[in-house]
């Protein structure tokens, strides 16, 4: 009864347009006040204890580092390097767009940052060369979800902070799945090159490849420093965030793109973004505490167990539920909401927690490009000045390609676990 009231209030508040953080928090407050068996003093205690986490300090640092690196001209350097490598391949700038997102993922860790930075450069360039605008927008939006998969990733930091899993191991686990999805996107873009209006460029000379590589080296080094430092034990994920900020400041100073005015602006933007995430976390903590107190995860696991004992079928049902949730709720909010509920269920079925984490994160991300909300697609449409309705037709096959990648990752756990076992000693 309590769980039904909790979810009912949550749904009503969402339908009324109340922000998700307040929807979760207010529904939790009403349920506790209505029950009367728990002192309301526990509310602020639960709220602030959920935020008293050292790993969470990495979030504003990685956000700020991504902003610093982006304004320092690193996006232009990555695009130039990607174009020199594969601009001659069938699919032209469509392939360059995807490879740029792969390389940029090592800086931003955010799909929104990826689509904004890469889209603002690639979409005008693709338009000038005669690419069909709706296809260009779809390629930009779908490749942008690689940002939170390939490390460093804000979603992995959040998942690790909520579950206690090693953030470094989660970072390693995202490398191969991200590359698998990128390869599938590039293969489909190669296949549909004529339909998107792709133009092939001449193969770049080796001197140009080498010159563009030297310019892009700072962007390529940063993720290696972060992941290598965490896995070698030199520093934690939070300390890696500090290193990333210092690295971004130094690069910006050398490139002479940073000054006091825009640096203060980046700090303010990072603070606003972080505050939004933490408010959601606090509201979700109250919501999740009631869910756990009422034994809902165990009940849900029992219900799934009665439905099927097959772990693959159970995982498939969870993925379908996450895709439906992601259609209506923003990615970070959805992940924060479902992780405390679903992580214990994965353990009941004996699913490796790192593998389960990757499936959960990718499923929620896939929801972010699923209509009707599809926030990443909407953002790409705004940048590319394309009507949202026009992208639905080309969006479907790209969605199907990413879904295929998710199914491969889901049913072949070694895709997720190979790199952590090789470089992190995971499970050995």
């Amino acid at each position: 009864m309590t769980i039904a009231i909790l979810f009912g209030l949550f749904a009503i508040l969402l339908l009324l347009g109340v922000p998700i953080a307040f929807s979760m928090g207010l529904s939790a407050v009403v349920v506790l006040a209505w029950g009367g068996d728990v002192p309301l003093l526990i509310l602020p205690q639960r709220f602030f204890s959920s935020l008293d986490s050292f790993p969470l300090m990495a979030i504003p640092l990685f956000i700020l580092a991504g902003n610093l690196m982006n304004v320092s001209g690193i996006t232009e350097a990555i695009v130039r390097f990607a174009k020199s490598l594969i601009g001659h391949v069938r699919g032209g700038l469509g392939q360059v767009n995807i490879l740029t997102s792969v390389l940029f993922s090592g800086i931003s860790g955010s799909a929104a940052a990826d689509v904004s930075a890469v889209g603002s450069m690639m979409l005008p360039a693709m338009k000038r060369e005669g690419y069909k605008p709706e296809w260009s927008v779809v390629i930009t939006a779908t490749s942008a979800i690689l940002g939170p998969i390939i490390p460093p990733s804000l979603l992995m930091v959040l998942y690790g902070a909520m579950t206690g899993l090693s953030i470094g191991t989660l970072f390693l686990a995202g490398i191969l799945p991200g590359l698998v999805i990128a390869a599938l996107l590039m293969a489909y873009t190669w296949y549909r090159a004529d339909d998107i209006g792709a133009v092939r460029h001449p193969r770049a000379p080796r001197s140009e490849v080498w010159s563009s590589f030297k310019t892009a080296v700072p962007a390529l080094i940063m993720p290696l420093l972060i992941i290598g430092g965490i896995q070698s034990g030199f520093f934690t994920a939070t300390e890696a965030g500090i290193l990333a900020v210092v690295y971004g400041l130094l690069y910006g100073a050398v490139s002479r793109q940073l000054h006091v005015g825009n640096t203060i602006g980046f700090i303010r933007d990072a603070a606003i973004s972080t505050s939004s995430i933490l408010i959601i976390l606090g509201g979700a903590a109250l919501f999740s505490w009631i869910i756990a107190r009422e034994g809902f995860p165990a009940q849900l696991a029992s219900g799934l167990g009665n439905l099927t004992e097959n772990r693959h079928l159970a995982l498939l049902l969870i993925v379908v539920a996450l895709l439906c949730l992601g259609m209506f709720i923003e990615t970070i909010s959805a992940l924060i909401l479902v992780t405390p509920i679903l992580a214990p269920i994965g353990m009941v079925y004996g699913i490796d927690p790192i593998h389960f984490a990757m499936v959960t994160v990718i499923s929620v991300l896939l929801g972010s490009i699923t209509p009707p909300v599809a926030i990443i697609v909407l953002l790409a449409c705004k940048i590319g000045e394309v009507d949202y309705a026009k992208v639905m037709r080309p969006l479907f096959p790209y969605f199907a390609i990413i879904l295929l990648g998710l199914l491969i990752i889901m049913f072949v756990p070694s895709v997720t676990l190979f790199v952590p076992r090789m470089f992190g000693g995971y499970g050995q």
Side-chain angles (χ1 to χ4, degrees), residues 6-95:
L6 181 69
F7 279 103
L9 286 172
F10 176 60
I12 291 171
L13 290 170
L14 280 181
L15 290 173
L16 291 174
V18 179
I20 187 169
F22 298 107
S23 296
M24 288 189 288
L26 287 173
S27 56
V29 170
V30 171
V31 166
L32 288 178
W34 171 74
D37 58 338
V38 176
L40 293 182
L41 184 62
I42 201 170
L43 294 176
Q45 292 175 346
R46 288 285 171 181
F47 188 95
F48 287 105
S49 64
S50 67
L51 307 181
D52 186 18
S53 170
F54 184 69
L56 289 179
M57 293 176 63
I59 293 175
L61 295 170
F62 281 127
I63 293 174
L64 179 58
N67 289 343
L68 290 171
M69 292 292 284
N70 184 32
V71 78
S72 301
I74 202 66
T75 308
E76 293 92 331
I78 291 175
V79 170
R80 183 183 169 215
F81 178 51
K83 188 174 181 180
S84 70
L85 281 179
I86 61 170
H88 62 280
V89 175
R90 176 180 163 88
L93 290 185
Q95 306 286 15

Side-chain angles (χ1 to χ4, degrees), residues 392-403:
M392 291 300 105
R393 185 177 177 184
L395 176 61
F396 177 76
Y398 274 91
F399 174 90
I401 288 296
I402 299 176
L403 182 60

Side-chain angles (χ1 to χ4, degrees), residues 378-398:
L378 282 169
L379 184 55
C381 286
K382 183 178 180 181
I383 296 170
E385 299 179 343
V386 175
D387 184 64
Y388 181 60
K390 292 182 178 179
V391 305
M392 291 300 105
R393 185 177 177 184
L395 176 61
F396 177 76
Y398 274 91

Side-chain angles (χ1 to χ4, degrees), residues 3 31 43 71 109 116 153 181 189 204 233 249 257 273 293-294 310 312 314 317 323 344 403 405 426:
I3 293 296
V31 166
L43 294 176
V71 78
S116 299
S153 164
I181 293 174
T189 300
L249 287 171
Q257 297 294 321
S273 299
R293 182 172 176 267
E294 295 296 323
N310 186 301
H312 297 300
L317 292 173
L323 289 177
L403 182 60
Y426 177 74

Side-chain angles (χ1 to χ4, degrees), residues 185-232:
L185 289 174
M186 295 179 79
Y188 186 72
T189 300
W190 181 90
Y191 174 71
R192 298 299 297 267
D194 293 336
D195 297 313
I196 68 177
V199 178
R200 294 178 67 172
H201 293 260
R203 182 185 293 271
R206 291 184 179 180
S207 58
E208 183 178 337
V209 175
W210 176 244
S211 173
S212 62
F213 170 73
K214 289 189 292 184
T215 308
V217 160
L220 305 177
I221 287 178
M222 193 174 101
L224 296 178
L225 288 175
I226 292 171
I227 299 170
I230 293 174
Q231 287 304 122
S232 62

Side-chain angles (χ1 to χ4, degrees), residues 159 315 318 342-343 345-346 351-361:
Y159 196 98
L315 196 56
I318 290 172
L342 296 182
I345 296 176
I351 302 171
D352 184 274
I354 297 295
H355 178 225
F356 189 81
M358 194 56 53
V359 172
T360 300
V361 168

